[in-house]
Amino acid sequence: MHLQHLILDSKATATKEQKVAALRTLRIVVKNLADPQKNTDPKYRQLKLSNEKVKAKITPCPSALDYMKSLGFVVIEENGEEYLRLQSSKTIIISDMEASLAELNNAIEMIAPKEPSFAEEKKTPEGIIIRKQPSSISTASSGSTTTGKMTEKQKARLLMEKKRQREAQEAK
């Protein structure tokens, strides 16, 4: 529910960039909590609310703070500093954190759809670059991959690969 408030901006008038920054910060926290090696370390179970980066990313979106509280974080004042802390006595359920991580990824995708990056490109042994399309754009007829503008050499390699695949199918 808190993510819905953050996405719809029902509690604050945060900009799209501020919402994405808050969601990305939440995603980092939840990702660390989903990691069994990190979730017991006190360092990953708290955020210092007076930290300039944390303040800049969380404060503009009060729903982000509410989301952290729904995960079990509490606001604690210690030595004049305010912390958002998950008590060490609180058991973290990895599957819940993984579900929260998926929710956060979906929320980020809703607010700021991701542009294809170099990481989503694969290069075949023949040197052909294959780009993955976002699932919302791909259709049944186009398949899950597409090729951009290809050089003559790349086209020839693609034809050779198709020929090898066809020959392998015929040999079976």
Side-chain angles (χ1 to χ4, degrees):
M1 187 63 155
H2 302 291
L3 282 181
Q4 186 177 11
H5 287 295
L6 201 148
I7 293 167
L8 299 175
D9 201 26
S10 63
K11 286 192 166 187
T13 54
T15 66
K16 178 180 167 182
E17 291 78 20
Q18 289 172 321
K19 290 180 192 179
V20 171
L23 287 168
R24 286 186 175 148
T25 302
L26 293 174
R27 182 175 59 184
I28 291 167
V29 171
V30 171
K31 186 177 178 182
N32 287 335
L33 292 175
D35 184 342
Q37 294 177 343
K38 292 182 179 178
N39 69 16
T40 56
D41 187 345
K43 174 174 128 178
Y44 296 105
R45 295 174 71 104
Q46 76 177 8
L47 285 174
K48 187 175 181 181
L49 291 175
S50 59
N51 178 303
E52 289 303 316
K53 287 184 179 181
V54 172
K55 189 186 292 186
K57 293 177 181 181
I58 300 285
T59 306
C61 304
S63 296
L65 189 61
D66 293 341
Y67 186 76
M68 295 290 286
K69 289 177 181 177
S70 74
L71 292 175
F73 283 83
V74 291
V75 177
I76 295 174
E77 192 166 323
E78 191 176 277
N79 300 328
E81 301 282 347
E82 250 188 340
Y83 292 91
L84 201 60
R85 185 176 293 157
L86 190 61
Q87 297 299 325
S88 57
S89 60
K90 170 105 169 92
T91 304
I92 296 172
I93 302 169
I94 302 293
S95 60
D96 289 349
M97 290 301 123
E98 289 171 347
S100 294
L101 191 57
E103 286 177 347
L104 288 164
N105 286 330
N106 289 337
I108 292 169
E109 185 67 27
M110 287 173 71
I111 294 175
K114 189 171 82 169
E115 295 294 324
S117 67
F118 291 113
E120 294 173 352
E121 294 182 347
K122 288 186 178 179
K123 195 169 187 179
T124 64
E126 288 75 26
I128 301 167
I129 296 174
I130 300 173
R131 292 185 183 97
K132 293 181 183 179
Q133 285 185 344
S135 58
S136 61
I137 297 175
S138 66
T139 62
S141 62
S142 68
S144 62
T145 60
T146 183
T147 54
K149 291 184 178 182
M150 294 189 291
T151 65
E152 292 300 316
K153 188 174 182 180
Q154 289 174 321
K155 290 177 187 177
R157 287 179 177 161
L158 182 60
L159 289 173
M160 292 297 293
E161 178 62 23
K162 286 180 181 180
K163 180 181 175 185
R164 275 191 226 127
Q165 289 175 351
R166 189 174 54 249
E167 288 172 351
Q169 287 290 334
E170 291 170 0
K172 289 182 182 179

